[in-house]
Amino acid sequence: KFLKSDQASEPKKTAADKPDRTVNSIEAFVGGCTSFDILSMKLRFTKSSIAQTWDYKTQRYVTDKVLSSETFKPKSENGKYRGYAAFNSPVDEALFVLAGADDKDNKRVTDYFILNATADGDIAEKPVDITGAQSLVYADQVADGDVVLVFAPHSGSADISQYTYLKYACDGTMKNKCTFKSPSNNLLVLNAQEKDGSIFFCATSSKKDDAYDDVYSEYAGAISNPCFTDGENKLDARWAKDADGKMEHFHLLKFTGNNFDFGSTANISEFKEKFKTTEADRHADPYKGKKFYVESFTITPAGEYLIAGQLTGREKTGSSSSVKTYEDIVCMHFDKSGQLRAQYGVEKMNNDKKSSAFPINQSFIPSKDGKSLYWEIMEVKGFKGYASFVDAYNGNQTWYSAYFPRISKLDPNSMTLGDFKVLGDENYYIRKNVNPIINSDGSVVFVGSDENGKNLWLAKYDFQ
């Protein structure tokens, strides 16, 4: 039923349009690939200069040759730094790096620094604005590129519940600071989200009253060791094991500017008491306190909070390597003050190794009357093959993900969950980078195909 062919409105760019260029870059990491340094947390930088040429076929710059590459270990007054986090600047090639310096006497980190590293290899150091001996509880980069940090005082401090929250621009300029009384002496932060000008943290804690550093390892999940296979690095593997220990409480914290708005506490047993699901999902499980990945953080029209994600773990793929896995689906419902109202449960449909290697996309779409929300779960199905035409052209076979929608109507007022409608009958899939068509009436058209890509598939859903 082919009708006609037209000249593309924008012709392909040639090498004359895209002249050769040189790209300078810098990256930060810890440790190395030998038995001597695989467990090291010493900070390293690699500064590179790469010559690129324009590839007409793929319409992008490709590496022609590496002009220079240098790896070096920056030093503080007390010796080499330990690395804890590294984030890319959203505006240039610079890095925001959180580093620590060992105390000469007890070899324990007592001083933290922000290092601003440019692509030219220049490094500027400034101390993190905290006082006393502290442990890093969490570090993350939120959507606008700012970096949020949480610190907890070491055991033996005057008040081990007096935590510190900091927010920095990626150039190291401090935007917000707040010392606050933590809802637990050993608050373990799992996730950070920025919504409507506020920062939210999801956290857990044990039943112990001990200080953070007596219960958990320091957080270092935001910087990688290129050859460590059981986590981002040695400290991250220890922290992840601690985070999967038995937890007694779940906490939701909110900060706006320099103010601590609230820090709520829910006993883990409450999730079972307030668990909501459908008859079709009677095998779904309530949250038991394990670490999880947040995919969607939504503020409802009534100002309440829906937090949807998945439990995470690691699975061995060989004798000495493992991959991060995405497991049970979790959806929590909190009121305006952060108090738990409900947990909504739904089972994963695909639990095989290939599918569990990819997160499930989740979102909430308001109904037309504003009284309900539609919980849209893009169930993932993993395949072995070629993720794209370029991969197929180059013979790069790997695991790749495809998706199909599952949609349920959620009433936040009555805390009820409707049956899920599965689109595609598990035979048709949406590729990762294919966005649905949003119509003017609010309905959505999903565009996909069968597994082999031979048959086009369309599905329309109207969010009433």
Side-chain angles (χ1 to χ4, degrees):
K1 299 181 181 179
F2 181 72
L3 298 180
K4 65 177 181 177
S5 174
D6 285 330
Q7 176 68 34
S9 59
E10 185 175 349
K12 286 187 174 183
K13 298 185 183 301
T14 66
D17 304 312
K18 295 286 188 177
D20 294 352
R21 68 183 186 183
T22 299
V23 176
N24 297 323
S25 64
I26 191 165
E27 64 174 338
F29 59 97
V30 294
C33 296
T34 69
S35 58
F36 177 76
D37 57 11
I38 189 68
L39 299 180
S40 172
M41 293 300 297
K42 298 300 182 184
L43 178 65
R44 301 183 182 193
F45 287 101
T46 294
K47 181 181 70 170
S48 302
S49 183
I50 300 171
Q52 294 185 332
T53 59
W54 184 253
D55 183 75
Y56 179 80
K57 184 178 295 184
T58 61
Q59 286 291 286
R60 59 188 177 90
Y61 277 102
V62 296
T63 298
D64 179 37
K65 61 181 177 180
V66 177
L67 302 176
S68 64
S69 181
E70 175 191 0
T71 297
F72 60 97
K73 300 177 184 178
K75 290 185 179 181
S76 68
E77 293 181 357
N78 293 332
K80 297 182 179 68
Y81 293 103
R82 290 190 195 183
Y84 285 94
F87 303 105
N88 294 307
S89 168
V91 297
D92 54 32
E93 300 300 321
L95 290 177
F96 176 107
V97 178
L98 178 66
D102 290 348
D103 182 272
K104 290 182 178 179
D105 297 324
N106 62 18
K107 299 300 181 183
R108 188 178 187 182
V109 170
T110 55
D111 297 308
Y112 292 90
F113 301 92
I114 294 169
L115 307 181
N116 285 109
T118 69
D120 295 327
D122 297 326
I123 298 174
E125 174 200 284
K126 66 186 329 182
V128 175
D129 194 6
I130 54 176
T131 57
Q134 306 259 354
S135 297
L136 177 64
V137 175
Y138 196 70
D140 203 357
Q141 187 172 34
V142 292
D144 64 359
D146 289 346
V147 175
V148 291
L149 308 173
V150 178
F151 289 89
H154 282 179
S155 58
S157 301
D159 186 353
I160 57 174
S161 68
Q162 196 70 11
Y163 279 47
T164 303
Y165 156 74
L166 299 156
K167 184 180 181 185
Y168 286 91
C170 218
D171 63 2
T173 302
M174 190 174 72
K175 288 188 169 183
N176 302 120
K177 177 182 178 181
C178 177
T179 56
F180 66 99
K181 186 171 181 61
S182 170
S184 169
N185 292 340
N186 50 81
L187 187 79
L188 188 141
V189 178
L190 301 171
N191 183 267
Q193 296 284 326
E194 184 171 29
K195 283 288 181 181
D196 295 348
S198 296
I199 298 293
F200 297 85
F201 293 103
C202 298
T204 57
S205 65
S206 72
K207 64 180 180 181
K208 299 179 181 179
D209 291 327
D210 301 319
Y212 179 93
D213 62 322
D214 283 341
V215 182
Y216 312 122
S217 172
E218 283 190 286
Y219 182 83
I223 192 168
S224 66
N225 179 323
C227 293
F228 192 84
T229 59
D230 290 328
E232 293 298 323
N233 52 64
K234 174 190 69 175
L235 277 186
D236 179 55
R238 289 180 183 174
W239 178 90
K241 184 177 180 181
D242 293 340
D244 265 340
K246 184 173 177 56
M247 296 295 174
E248 196 75 13
H249 308 102
F250 183 90
H251 310 277
L252 181 63
L253 294 83
K254 178 184 179 183
F255 296 85
T256 305
N258 298 317
N259 298 316
F260 178 41
D261 297 328
F262 64 73
S264 66
T265 299
N267 291 331
I268 296 300
S269 60
E270 289 185 49
F271 288 92
K272 184 176 182 180
E273 298 167 4
K274 300 178 179 181
F275 190 61
K276 311 283 186 179
T277 188
T278 66
E279 183 63 25
D281 288 294
R282 59 186 180 274
H283 297 300
D285 293 319
Y287 177 64
K288 295 181 176 66
K290 300 293 185 180
K291 66 181 185 297
F292 69 95
Y293 160 82
V294 175
E295 168 65 28
S296 174
F297 189 101
T298 300
I299 301 178
T300 72
E304 298 187 327
Y305 308 107
L306 291 172
I307 302 170
Q310 289 176 265
L311 302 184
T312 60
R314 298 197 75 86
E315 184 171 337
K316 289 288 185 182
T317 57
S319 59
S320 61
S321 61
S322 65
V323 295
K324 187 174 182 178
T325 57
Y326 298 87
E327 300 162 0
D328 291 357
I329 297 170
V330 177
C331 179
M332 303 173 180
H333 181 183
F334 297 87
D335 68 14
K336 293 180 180 179
S337 60
Q339 301 302 312
L340 179 67
R341 293 195 67 197
Q343 182 198 342
Y344 306 104
V346 58
E347 297 176 77
K348 272 186 70 179
M349 295 181 66
N350 298 308
N351 290 295
D352 59 283
K353 187 181 295 186
K354 293 190 292 292
S355 299
S356 295
F358 302 97
I360 291 173
N361 300 325
Q362 301 181 58
S363 58
F364 294 93
I365 297 96
S367 61
K368 292 179 180 178
D369 61 11
K371 296 180 180 180
S372 302
L373 294 162
Y374 286 87
W375 185 8
E376 180 188 85
I377 296 175
M378 299 299 290
E379 183 77 31
V380 66
K381 176 67 176 177
F383 295 95
K384 185 176 182 179
Y386 302 109
S388 67
F389 173 80
V390 174
D391 288 327
Y393 181 82
N394 294 318
N396 296 328
Q397 193 175 66
T398 183
W399 289 356
Y400 69 91
S401 58
Y403 303 85
F404 57 90
R406 300 169 67 192
I407 302 173
S408 170
K409 191 173 185 179
L410 190 157
D411 186 334
N413 295 317
S414 62
M415 294 177 292
T416 55
L417 186 66
D419 290 333
F420 276 86
K421 172 67 176 177
V422 180
L423 281 64
D425 298 323
E426 298 186 67
N427 293 312
Y428 297 97
Y429 304 96
I430 299 166
R431 299 294 172 155
K432 182 177 181 179
N433 296 321
V434 178
N435 295 320
I437 300 167
I438 301 175
N439 297 316
S440 58
D441 62 359
S443 63
V444 170
V445 175
F446 298 97
V447 182
S449 67
D450 55 11
E451 181 181 345
N452 297 321
K454 292 183 177 180
N455 295 295
L456 185 68
W457 169 76
L458 302 175
K460 181 180 179 182
Y461 196 95
D462 191 8
F463 299 95
Q464 293 291 343

